Amino acid sequence: MKTLILIDVQNDFMPGGSLEVPHGNRIVPVINQIQSYFDLVVATQDWHPKNHKSFASNHNGKKPFDSIVLNGVQQTLWPDHCVRGSSGAELHKDIESNRIAAIFRKGMEPEVDSYSGFYDNNHQLSTGLSGYLKEKGASEIHFCGLAADICIYFTILDSILEGFSATLIEDASRPLYSDKFGDIKCELAKLGVRIINSIDLQPK
Ligand code: VGL
Ligand code: ZN
């Protein structure tokens, strides 16, 4: 089962959203074009309660992009984003959703952030994505979405730990910080991750 995972293609990560990824909207037509090349399409959604501790607004005297230690782990504080049920948390309205077989929500526990679609940042809570993919017989997992250097990066690291082979579709993703993304791509390539563009994919 050739598998595509859409990571956090949500309004708050799009230009004009509260945590916008530069040119994040440009991936939408690319993602729509490639969905039919895959046997299984799955999505993740950042889905925070309003009192989530990754929000600077929930810490006195802190501002977005400050760094703190939260329950023993380093945590960047973000602007409020992807509050569950809000329009900012919805998938981009132009993302074709008919082929999405399941959506895995993450970041629902207020005390811990969850960049990966598999586990929270302390590696304690599972979303069930790994078991789902294994039961479905998913192979050759391809990743796209936002942000390439944060949630996609950590999801790919976990996918390798879970024994999957991972491919990043670069033109169907965008990083939040493009200056550090070169190093991240090098690290992923060293771990055996394939980094391709949508043109390299075989239409079915
Ligand atoms: C993300 C920061 C905070 C992401 C989610 O989807 O990359 N980044 N929450
Ligand atoms: Zn988040």
Side-chain angles (χ1 to χ4, degrees):
M1 288 279 257
K2 201 175 164 191
T3 300
L4 178 67
I5 304 190
L6 279 52
I7 304 286
D8 301 359
V9 190
Q10 292 167 269
N11 292 327
D12 274 338
F13 299 124
M14 297 289 167
S18 63
L19 182 45
E20 58 186 286
V21 175
H23 308 302
N25 55 327
R26 294 193 189 167
I27 68 174
V28 173
V30 183
I31 291 173
N32 286 344
Q33 199 214 320
I34 62 177
Q35 285 196 51
S36 66
Y37 304 174
F38 293 87
D39 307 307
L40 177 65
V41 181
V42 176
T44 66
Q45 216 171 3
D46 213 27
W47 198 250
H48 297 308
K50 252 198 104 46
N51 64 345
H52 199 262
K53 292 281 179 60
S54 76
F55 296 171
S57 64
N58 289 320
H59 300 268
N60 281 329
K62 297 291 176 193
K63 50 185 196 314
F65 309 105
D66 284 352
S67 189
I68 64 162
V69 174
L70 178 62
N71 300 316
V73 292
Q74 194 278 330
Q75 173 71 51
T76 299
L77 296 177
W78 305 106
D80 291 19
H81 64 278
C82 298
V83 173
R84 58 189 182 193
S86 70
S87 56
E90 285 168 17
L91 298 185
H92 188 288
K93 67 172 179 25
D94 295 332
I95 280 286
E96 178 58 62
S97 61
N98 288 350
R99 294 178 52 90
I100 299 175
I103 298 179
F104 288 81
R105 289 174 167 166
K106 62 188 180 67
M108 297 162 77
E109 175 58 47
E111 294 296 324
V112 60
D113 213 351
S114 194
Y115 294 151
S116 159
F118 290 94
Y119 298 100
D120 70 80
N121 290 3
N122 291 333
H123 252 249
Q124 275 166 4
L125 305 167
S126 166
T127 60
L129 177 59
S130 184
Y132 174 87
L133 293 173
K134 285 173 184 164
E135 191 159 336
K136 284 285 192 185
S139 58
E140 295 181 61
I141 304 194
H142 290 64
F143 293 90
C144 62
L146 302 170
D149 52 336
I150 305 174
C151 285
I152 297 181
Y153 168 67
F154 284 100
T155 306
I156 289 179
L157 292 183
D158 278 346
S159 76
I160 295 165
L161 289 177
E162 292 297 319
F164 296 107
S165 79
T167 301
L168 171 65
I169 309 172
E170 203 178 347
D171 62 335
S173 319
R174 285 290 185 283
L176 182 61
Y177 299 114
S178 53
D179 52 336
K180 296 188 195 113
F181 191 49
D183 289 349
I184 286 179
K185 282 193 289 181
C186 274
E187 183 192 338
L188 291 177
K190 280 189 195 133
L191 291 169
V193 176
R194 290 196 312 139
I195 300 173
I196 65 165
N197 280 304
S198 56
I199 189 134
D200 304 317
L201 289 164
Q202 277 311 329
K204 283 220 301 174

